Amino acid sequence: MYLSHLRLSNYKNYEELDLAFEPGFHLVTGPNGAGKTNLLDAIYYLCIGKSYFSSSDRNNMRHSSTFMRLQGEFVLEQERHQVLCKLGQGRKKQILLNEVPYEKATEHVGRFPIIVTSPGDHVLIDGGSEDRRRLLNEVLSQLDKAYLKQLIRYRKVLAQRNALLKAYPKVPLEENLMLVYDQQLAESGHFVAIRRKELIEEMIPQFNQNYVQISLNREQVAFQYKTTVFDKPLIDQFLEARQKDVILQRTTVGIHKDDLIFSMEGRPIKRFGSQGQQKTFLLSLKLALFELFKRHKKMSPILLLDDIFDKLDPERMASLLSRLKECGASQIVISDTQVPRLADVFDREGISFRHLSVQNGTCHEEV
């Protein structure tokens, strides 16, 4: 699968853009603030139906504009599919596939699989557990519609349960209703936790292989899934935490407390890993997800790599490119500010690429 054409109107700093793409490597270069990341984000938006970098669609609309429009043509198993995302001021966002609108935006998730890595991914190491859960949810929602359905159900019931807890003591606690919420959370939570556990177990061997190759086997790293779901039945955990929940007015146990533990040589990589080691860790993680997508979706997802070579020494950079070359991706889009440095590394690795130059919200091919 790959993107063959992209058209933008009033998306971030792009007033108008009409750009053709091909399978293979694309190198997007330009100065900081020119729009390289915005170009990659537009591709992600068409695949998922939302921005990777901004939670507010209003922030994705070009300054002083009243609408935005993104249109892409994807080639999937030799068939062409058109995706259109449009939003007008005061109007609900619409996503259309081959000119047919979706009833729900979530129906689009997973049709055109995509993996992104960017400097902002550092929150996976530095940030809180919610950032790492977000990664699990983004991946599994693309892979498994049932996961997305159960996750949405869990979040809805969790909000209802928390609202009940916050209303107490002004509103008496309805024990029967709390029990219903506990049962629903336990059912959906157990389903979600099983899928998360299966995902991590499947990823670990590929992750280890990626890290050894990119780092030239300089250090040992690991990650694991942390949850209380399998310690005892969730319904029992909710009942045992009831008194604490009432005092704190929120639900203190459940899958919304899950986390991923990242380590290097048995110690937290957040504290003991260098910037290059941490970046290598994250790239190995994302490339493991890429391989997992290939197996489950029976197709190669698009790879978007934003500023991936920053903080990497020349040896890791060459090893990473070698790994990308052999991974079998149908389309890889890489952004960077350093044209000569990357062009030299690409040439040394024997990788042909299409060079797209971005300047102040415009983009053209460099021959």
Side-chain angles (χ1 to χ4, degrees), residues 139-154:
V139 171
L140 282 163
S141 294
Q142 289 190 68
L143 289 172
D144 187 349
K145 293 292 185 184
Y147 178 92
L148 181 57
K149 180 180 179 181
Q150 292 295 333
L151 180 66
I152 291 172
R153 180 184 185 230
Y154 184 93

Side-chain angles (χ1 to χ4, degrees), residues 200-223:
I200 298 305
E201 290 176 347
E202 187 176 352
M203 281 177 59
I204 286 174
Q206 185 64 58
F207 164 79
N208 289 334
Q209 181 181 328
N210 292 339
Y211 196 94
V212 166
Q213 182 173 352
I214 298 171
S215 70
L216 303 177
N217 201 22
R218 294 177 186 172
E219 55 268 340
Q220 297 296 313
V221 293
F223 74 100

Side-chain angles (χ1 to χ4, degrees), residues 14-139:
Y14 289 95
E15 183 176 6
E16 293 289 340
L17 180 68
D18 192 320
L19 193 61
F21 285 81
E22 300 170 358
F25 282 81
H26 293 69
L27 178 57
V28 181
T29 64
N32 291 326
K36 302 183 301 296
T37 298
N38 293 344
L39 181 62
L40 270 62
D41 195 32
I43 299 172
Y44 181 86
Y45 199 113
L46 285 165
C47 291
I48 301 297
K50 63 179 182 179
S51 167
Y52 185 77
F53 300 96
S54 175
S55 58
S56 169
D57 269 323
R58 188 66 189 88
N59 293 337
N60 297 321
M61 204 178 294
R62 189 169 178 265
H63 182 64
S64 301
S65 299
T66 58
F67 77 97
M68 71 178 190
R69 179 185 176 97
L70 303 87
Q71 186 172 346
E73 184 178 84
F74 295 86
V75 178
L76 176 60
E77 296 180 349
Q78 299 183 338
E79 291 187 1
R80 295 185 179 274
H81 300 272
Q82 285 194 350
V83 176
L84 173 63
C85 301
K86 55 183 180 179
L87 176 68
Q89 200 168 43
R91 297 182 181 179
K92 187 179 179 180
K93 177 170 64 180
Q94 273 195 308
I95 304 175
L96 295 85
L97 176 61
N98 298 324
E99 301 182 348
V100 179
Y102 289 102
E103 291 185 9
K104 297 180 180 179
T106 54
E107 295 174 2
H108 183 61
V109 178
R111 287 185 179 269
F112 302 95
I114 190 165
I115 298 291
V116 184
T117 184
S118 79
D121 289 341
H122 216 272
V123 298
L124 294 172
I125 291 176
D126 291 338
S129 60
E130 66 275 9
D131 296 304
R132 291 177 285 277
R133 287 194 301 274
R134 187 178 300 115
L135 173 67
L136 293 175
N137 293 336
E138 288 173 352
V139 171

